[in-house]
Amino acid sequence: MADTELAPNLPQWMKDHAERYLSSGGTDGHIYTLSRPGAPEITVPSLLLTTAGRKSGQRYLFPLFYGRTGGSYFVIASKGGAPEHPGWYRNILANPEVVIQVGTETMPAKARTATGEERARLWQQAVEFFPPYADYKVKAGEREIPVVVLDPVR
């Protein structure tokens, strides 16, 4: 996607991860191993989410950990437990039409915020595949961390 760029202000590890994912066509980087001091390694599946900037219209790419629900994918708008939502989430609220790359497959999708029982179920799944989300929830304080379902458009 020539008109797509990495989202601004990504931490270096996310930039490196996205570059590896992109340069391999999705054969490398679709699984991410996170090493943290004093904690066991965590291996999580990763996808690339492309959104349209809510102000600029520019297409931005974000590497995110994901889970599966039926024929769809879901991601967590945690921003590491920051008090505000990540930019990609604000982008999809303005325009839910996105593109995702899962491994070597790229597809259009429509993003929606899970609510109620669906949100609770998917949040629990997310904490199982990436336990730090539980810590992020505490750090986020009053902000409920959104769970975003990405429904492929086929």
Side-chain angles (χ1 to χ4, degrees):
M1 289 179 233
D3 63 337
T4 301
E5 61 186 58
L6 279 178
N9 305 319
L10 287 179
Q12 190 60 49
W13 73 269
M14 288 180 85
K15 290 177 186 174
D16 294 344
H17 175 69
E19 292 296 340
R20 194 171 81 236
Y21 206 122
L22 290 168
S23 67
S24 73
T27 60
D28 186 19
H30 64 285
I31 300 294
Y32 186 80
T33 301
L34 180 68
S35 299
R36 299 169 301 149
E41 279 190 347
I42 303 171
T43 302
V44 287
S46 174
L47 59 72
L48 300 177
L49 172 70
T50 300
T51 67
R54 63 197 172 282
K55 296 174 188 166
S56 67
Q58 171 65 41
R59 294 164 51 86
Y60 292 112
L61 185 140
F62 302 84
L64 300 169
F65 302 147
Y66 75 91
R68 297 283 315 245
T69 181
S72 297
Y73 304 90
F74 70 94
V75 293
I76 306 299
S78 67
K79 198 175 180 182
E84 71 280 343
H85 294 313
W88 67 262
Y89 181 71
R90 295 190 311 267
N91 288 349
I92 64 154
L93 291 177
N95 179 359
E97 307 300 324
V98 299
V99 174
I100 56 176
Q101 181 177 342
V102 182
T104 59
E105 188 178 3
T106 300
M107 67 201 84
K110 187 160 189 171
R112 62 182 175 81
T113 304
T115 59
E117 182 281 326
E118 180 186 39
R119 184 200 179 281
R121 177 175 49 82
L122 297 178
W123 176 261
Q124 188 54 48
Q125 270 185 254
V127 170
E128 288 170 15
F129 72 70
F130 190 67
Y133 285 142
D135 298 330
Y136 297 171
K137 180 180 179 182
V138 172
K139 284 177 60 180
E142 296 295 311
R143 177 173 80 94
E144 181 176 79
I145 296 175
V147 175
V148 177
V149 178
L150 304 166
D151 296 312
V153 178
R154 302 191 193 262

